[in-house]
Amino acid sequence: MPERRTDPSGFIEGLGAFLVRRGTLNESGLDRARRVQEETGDRLDHILTKIGLVSEKDMAEAFAEGLALPLVAASDFPGEAVRPEQVSASFLKASRVLPLAETGEGLALAMADPLDDYPKQAIALSVGQPVLPCVAVPSDLDAAIERLYSQDGSALGSLLKEHGEASDEDTLQDIERLRDSASEAPVIRLVTHIINRAVEARASDIHIEPFEGRLRVRYRVDGVLREQDSPPNALRQAVVSRIKIMARLNIAETRLPQDGRIKTAIRGRDIDFRVSTVPTMHGESVVLRVLDRDAVKLDLAGLGLDPETLEAYLQILERPHGIVLVTGPTGSGKTTTLYASLVRLNDGRRKMLTVEDPIEYQLDGINQVQVQPQIGLSFANSLRAFLRQDPDIMMIGEIRDLETAEIAVQAALTGHLVLSTLHTNDAAGTVSRLLDMGVEDFLLASTLNGVTAQRLVRRLCPHCREVYEALPEVAEQLDLRRFTNGAEPRLYRAMGCARCIQTGYLGRTAIQETLVMSDEVRRLLLKHADAQDLRRVAVAEGMRSMFQDGLRKAVQGITSIEEVMRVTREV
């Protein structure tokens, strides 16, 4: 039997100093980890990732550099299991290793811990050839093992087997028993597994929904809900109660909606979850919004704005005062665009205040206020208080009523820059909505800098997208040749592969239109012209519509024409 040895090279002894030299860790963080190591005796790299001082990705890069080993990207994992008849799934999961491919020199093996000699020796003996170790990010490795070997029993299945037969649902009604059940190790691991898998799958939301006879778990990935393995129905109350305990909610209150927040470290990253519970016919429905700052690029160019669209948006954003609005339906990325705008404006020379419901991401150097209507802290009341704080820039999470709109207009009139969101279908319709709310037309014409409307479209998976020549009728009807300088346009279709979980899409990007308040647009506003007239003038003055922005991205291969049609059909 192979001998188990970890860190035969002595690499861990100098890891702390190595990470400091790389700029991955500072001295104070290293001292903190050393103190934890003295108390626990755990390995330094494990401590650093567990307490979130170094991310798993940064640690993997350090191992690859320090040990002179290849670093495996998520796209490098195989589409099918390699040597499945000679290596068991249970061993791979326990050892956190995965065969990648056979080469002329041996079997390439992705490892979460390349210092552990035991799995290398064991697999070399099993397959009868040398093993070539590679470094992998543990979360990517776990996801690949789960994808390739789920038929041998998923992680959720093994957790449920461990729990065994759950007691009848009626026995969980007592609050103390419910609390005890939610605190049992299998239930804790089950909830942790659901949350971890969501983060690994790049989900934006986790939906846990009770129905008659079953508890459904779904992840929203790239804007589309995908159903996952479901826990047994008898555990529904224990699972919900565990989440409520983590969010510090009242587990005894099941008749009223509740809102809370969970902050935890997953794979070395600090991630927040916004928790909402709502009572339904068959129990409490729970939705967790995943707020992963590392997964969100708070950079305007990184959101998908091409240079022309970005130039138009910056034209209205970088004025010293006035109102800038971002519009679109729920889930269209409005708040992310506002956050990216605030990050760009946050140069340390201006005082910035926000009022939000809720605060999604904490921004350094910006004063953020959470709305609390139950104690009278509304958007309008917060804005009145803001004006006494000598601000330069204010961000309002949403303009919901006339009172809030009027205070925003007054703030803009007195020399402040105000950013906010509104729920309208397009940029031109926003002007009509504000007039319908009751905002005076002459005040709106004086203060509104411009409006950006946006949607999110799914990005085509770069690994499996397929190019094809656009039909002549489609190219002519949509005038696609304007995006190709007259050349025959080509489009791309979603195909599906292991890397995108057979969906054909991987991530999302924004399509936008920006209406800049010109003299002609203001003249129409004062006449209370309808949205179609405003839109016609804006397009004549150079505004590119969301549909046109989407078509350009479809021709560039960023998204598909079907995806553009799906998200813009009501515009």
Side-chain angles (χ1 to χ4, degrees), residues 139-183:
S139 56
D140 294 343
L141 182 62
D142 291 342
I145 294 173
E146 185 74 18
R147 169 173 57 82
L148 294 172
Y149 293 92
S150 58
Q151 67 270 22
D152 293 338
S154 66
L156 176 59
S158 62
L159 283 172
L160 298 181
K161 288 177 183 178
E162 179 183 341
H163 186 265
E165 293 296 324
S167 56
D168 188 77
E169 187 175 351
D170 293 337
T171 64
L172 296 175
Q173 295 302 315
D174 179 78
I175 296 303
E176 288 304 316
R177 289 190 180 184
L178 190 58
R179 190 184 302 275
D180 291 342
S181 177
S183 301

Side-chain angles (χ1 to χ4, degrees), residues 470-481 489 491 561 565:
L471 292 173
E473 298 85 354
V474 173
E476 183 176 352
Q477 181 179 355
L478 299 179
D479 194 12
L480 296 180
R481 291 182 181 84
L491 296 174
I561 196 73
M565 296 292 187

